[in-house]
Amino acid sequence: MRIIFMGTPEFAVASLSALLEAGENVVAVVTVADKPAGRGQKVQESAVKKFALSRGIPVLQPDKLKDPDFINALAAYQADLQVVVAFRMLPEVVWNMPPKGTVNLHASLLPQYRGAAPINHAVMNGERETGVTTFLLQHEIDTGNILLSERVSIEADDTAGDIHDKLMYVGAELLVKTVQLIREDKHHEIPQASIADEQKLKHAPKIFKDDCKIQWERPVEEVYNFIRGLSPYPAAFTVFQGKTLKIFACRPLKGPVPSEKEPGSIVTDGKHYLRFTTRDGYLDVLQLQLEGKKKMSVEEFLRGARFE
């Protein structure tokens, strides 16, 4: 079975690697165009491109997925199946091309958390489990028929980064199983409409910078979940002496907050701890990064901090 793989970040590399290790015939890879990144604005290749080239797999990098030259190049590979992991929305002319369709690996238990940031939103909402799902692409995003899914627990101190790493490998294994079932024509499709209560669905839209500002007036558990759900990226932040202060690791401390303390007030001994007040407790910061500085422990930060 001839397979074309589409993906971009490290999360997708695990799936591509697993398919190759399982002996699947990946004939080409589609990924984003190279682009400048970082302070030096050096041109960077995607993680998937680097891995594909290291394995001698041809790489296609279209700027536009409806470009006739790209469509013709894609069709020339005569793929039986396309596999998508952390890529972008595909036009119908692309996802409907192979006879066996296009399979997508999504980092949630569909139909819950459809959208661009399922891992972040699951942790931010304080979920105790999430998972991965393989499904066949159709017109509306993340709504195609489900093929397989696998549950993964979210521990109380897991960050989005921790769950990303768990799902990356669980998802890779699930994708291999899915592809094997499709090759043997043993797969079963479950329409999402048959298991979705549209009134109770939680969504996972793309997260923008303004969405990451911490609301200290919320309960401490909500603030804690919010911070770990955005750690390590894009990172929750507050404002400290006019500068952006990102928080990556913390712990909630419940307890009475003096009435004179506004939410977001700082409590510190200047040496060992830095806490922000919330509606019903304190958020004890463990790792942070002040604008223009490197990421550091709270003790390192306090050695150079000056409080007005």
Side-chain angles (χ1 to χ4, degrees):
M1 188 166 64
R2 295 174 64 81
I3 298 171
I4 285 179
F5 184 91
M6 301 182 180
T8 297
E10 203 66 44
F11 188 91
V13 172
S15 289
L16 177 55
S17 177
L19 288 170
L20 296 175
E21 291 299 317
E24 298 296 344
N25 182 28
V26 179
V27 296
V29 159
V30 181
T31 191
V32 295
D34 300 346
K35 56 187 177 182
R39 290 186 178 181
Q41 289 294 288
K42 292 183 179 179
V43 175
Q44 299 287 329
E45 299 174 332
S46 76
V48 163
K49 178 183 178 180
K50 291 176 183 176
F51 181 81
L53 292 178
S54 75
R55 296 299 184 94
I57 302 171
V59 175
L60 300 176
Q61 295 178 275
D63 284 322
K64 296 180 180 179
L65 295 175
K66 291 184 179 180
D67 186 308
D69 290 338
F70 167 65
I71 299 299
N72 291 334
L74 196 64
Y77 282 103
Q78 297 182 311
D80 300 296
L81 176 72
Q82 290 175 160
V83 173
V84 180
V85 182
F87 190 45
R88 50 200 267 209
M89 281 187 66
L90 302 180
E92 183 175 1
V93 66
V94 173
W95 61 255
N96 206 22
M97 186 181 293
K100 291 185 180 291
T102 297
V103 171
N104 195 167
L105 173 68
H106 188 72
S108 81
L109 295 171
L110 290 174
Q112 293 291 356
Y113 293 107
R114 294 170 179 157
I119 296 174
N120 300 100
H121 284 282
V123 179
M124 288 162 68
N125 286 342
E127 302 287 2
R128 285 292 170 255
E129 72 170 9
T130 184
V132 282
T133 305
T134 51
F135 69 100
L136 289 167
L137 285 185
Q138 62 181 36
H139 288 95
E140 291 187 48
I141 188 167
D142 299 337
T143 61
N145 290 349
I146 291 172
L147 298 170
L148 293 175
S149 63
E150 182 86 22
R151 295 177 180 274
V152 171
S153 63
I154 301 176
E155 303 302 328
D157 58 351
D158 277 337
T159 64
D162 297 325
I163 300 304
H164 169 280
D165 293 350
K166 290 181 187 179
L167 296 185
M168 181 166 61
Y169 296 107
V170 174
E173 292 179 12
L174 191 75
L175 186 62
V176 170
K177 291 178 188 174
T178 301
V179 169
Q180 290 171 343
L181 289 173
I182 291 173
R183 186 178 62 248
E184 297 165 6
D185 287 323
K186 293 180 180 178
H187 60 290
H188 299 285
E189 299 181 29
I190 305 170
Q192 290 193 40
S194 68
I195 55 176
D197 180 345
E198 296 295 336
Q199 300 300 314
K200 296 181 181 178
L201 289 185
K202 298 173 184 176
H203 299 281
K206 185 176 180 179
I207 295 171
F208 297 94
K209 182 179 179 181
D210 287 349
D211 302 323
C212 300
K213 188 171 184 179
I214 300 167
Q215 306 297 320
W216 295 112
E217 67 273 11
R218 294 185 177 276
V220 68
E221 281 294 335
E222 285 187 20
V223 177
Y224 173 61
N225 292 339
F226 182 81
I227 291 171
R228 65 193 183 95
L230 292 171
S231 178
Y233 183 84
F237 74 91
T238 190
V239 177
F240 174 76
Q241 296 179 355
K243 292 186 177 182
T244 298
L245 181 71
K246 295 179 178 180
I247 300 177
F248 298 97
C250 58
R251 60 188 171 202
L253 299 174
K254 285 207 168 183
V257 179
S259 58
E260 69 272 12
K261 291 285 188 184
E262 291 286 328
S265 298
I266 290 175
V267 177
T268 181
D269 65 353
K271 292 183 178 180
H272 305 295
Y273 68 82
L274 174 68
R275 296 164 185 165
F276 286 89
T277 58
T278 69
R279 181 193 299 178
D280 60 355
Y282 299 86
L283 200 290
D284 193 26
V285 179
L286 302 175
Q287 187 182 51
L288 69 171
Q289 183 177 20
L290 186 63
E291 183 180 334
K293 303 287 186 179
K294 66 176 184 176
K295 189 186 295 187
M296 62 185 75
S297 69
V298 70
E299 289 87 356
E300 288 177 288
F301 174 77
L302 289 173
R303 280 199 290 270
R306 295 291 178 267
F307 296 91
E308 299 170 355

